[in-house]
Amino acid sequence: SKISTSFTINGTAAIIYAMYVACADKQCVPRSKLTGTIQNDILKEYVARGTWIFPVRPSMRLIADSILYANDVTPRFNPISIAGAHVRDAGSTAVEEMAYTLANGLAYVDELIGRGGDVAKFAKRLSFFFYVHMDFFEEICKFRAGRRLWARLLRERYGVTDDKALMFRFGVVCGGSSLTAAQPYNNVMRVAIETMAAVLGGAQSIFTAAYDEAFQIPTEFAAELALRTQQVVAYESGIAKTVDPLGGSHLVECLTDRMEQEMIRVMDEIDAYGGVVKAIEDGWMQSKIAERALERKKNVDSRKTIIVGVNA
């Protein structure tokens, strides 16, 4: 009851959650006091990672079961963390990462409403999860645009008016596939830059990857340095003292607007195809990500995209 536990678990999320609740019962901890998160986002598993067990539609039913149950039994627990991180690392662009994630989020909302869920209630416990890559301003604007777009979609499509239900609560990982095994100490600077982008973009929760995660389980020194990176940014840089410190910048505002419009275009493309579930079942979304991954690889190989210590 005194710690928030995060489980990066998907296919077996309902089982792990049930075990956690059972553990609380055994320790005589009231379920109402439990805080934590199960990732429980099965849609991105089909397109980016693969830890799924059942077909798409039965899995959606199980996700809805777990969310509605958790809303009633463990009201402070996040029963889903809708993740764009994995599709980004699999190859998608920043715009696609956000667009696919929001589209998946809307698919869950529709499923929950179809099951009789109250969107004004369950939306307060929806959370999101992303990776931060190295294009500093693009990453900042990705989060600004995503926050604005999610609130508008909930308000216009579902009539949500409660400010807390409209909040775009998200955590990030700074690292991932942007880390390199070549000249790994360069990853320290990469993670620091990505951490600053996450803060300036408004992330509520940040995980900093260790510089050696590109090739091994992190050493204790590397893990501590990753933590210290967060702490230096938080306590010494001063950038966390104000909300949206880059708001009003011509570059940031224009890029935010442009990225939002591109996100809408991608989401409209998914809707035109027949929706997220059909796009996943047909392999359409998987093929889009594979195409982007190939483009990224070609750009690195041709040095159109510069990665210091790897191709330059």
Side-chain angles (χ1 to χ4, degrees), residues 185-308:
Y185 292 121
N186 294 345
N187 294 333
V188 176
M189 286 82 80
R190 291 188 177 104
V191 170
I193 291 169
E194 292 173 2
T195 302
M196 293 185 71
V199 175
L200 293 169
Q204 280 82 46
S205 171
I206 297 174
F207 173 81
T208 37
Y211 71 82
D212 54 357
E213 283 190 35
F215 56 88
Q216 68 179 18
I217 300 295
T219 62
E220 185 175 347
F221 171 78
E224 183 180 46
L225 185 59
L227 173 62
R228 297 291 176 252
T229 302
Q230 285 199 45
Q231 291 167 330
V232 169
V233 171
Y235 304 131
E236 296 185 28
S237 71
I239 64 173
K241 291 181 179 178
T242 182
V243 174
D244 196 20
L246 298 186
S249 157
H250 176 72
L251 168 64
V252 170
E253 297 297 348
C254 286
L255 185 55
T256 300
D257 290 343
R258 189 162 76 241
M259 293 188 76
E260 183 180 358
Q261 291 306 311
E262 282 296 298
M263 290 169 192
I264 293 171
R265 181 190 62 77
V266 173
M267 294 177 73
D268 287 345
E269 191 178 5
I270 296 171
D271 286 340
Y273 188 83
V276 166
V277 171
K278 178 173 170 44
I280 291 173
E281 287 179 328
D282 291 353
W284 180 86
M285 195 177 292
Q286 294 91 315
S287 68
K288 288 286 186 181
I289 295 171
E291 290 170 9
R292 289 293 180 271
L294 180 59
E295 288 176 13
R296 185 193 294 183
K297 180 67 166 60
K298 287 180 176 179
N299 287 340
V300 172
D301 290 347
S302 66
R303 299 183 73 248
K304 182 178 180 181
T305 297
I306 296 297
I307 301 178
V308 175

Side-chain angles (χ1 to χ4, degrees), residues 3 48 78 112 117 121 130 140 173 176 186 192 202 212 228 277 286:
I3 190 170
N78 298 321
L112 288 161
K121 179 181 178 181
F130 302 96
I140 293 168
V173 168
N186 294 345
D212 54 357
R228 297 291 176 252
V277 171
Q286 294 91 315

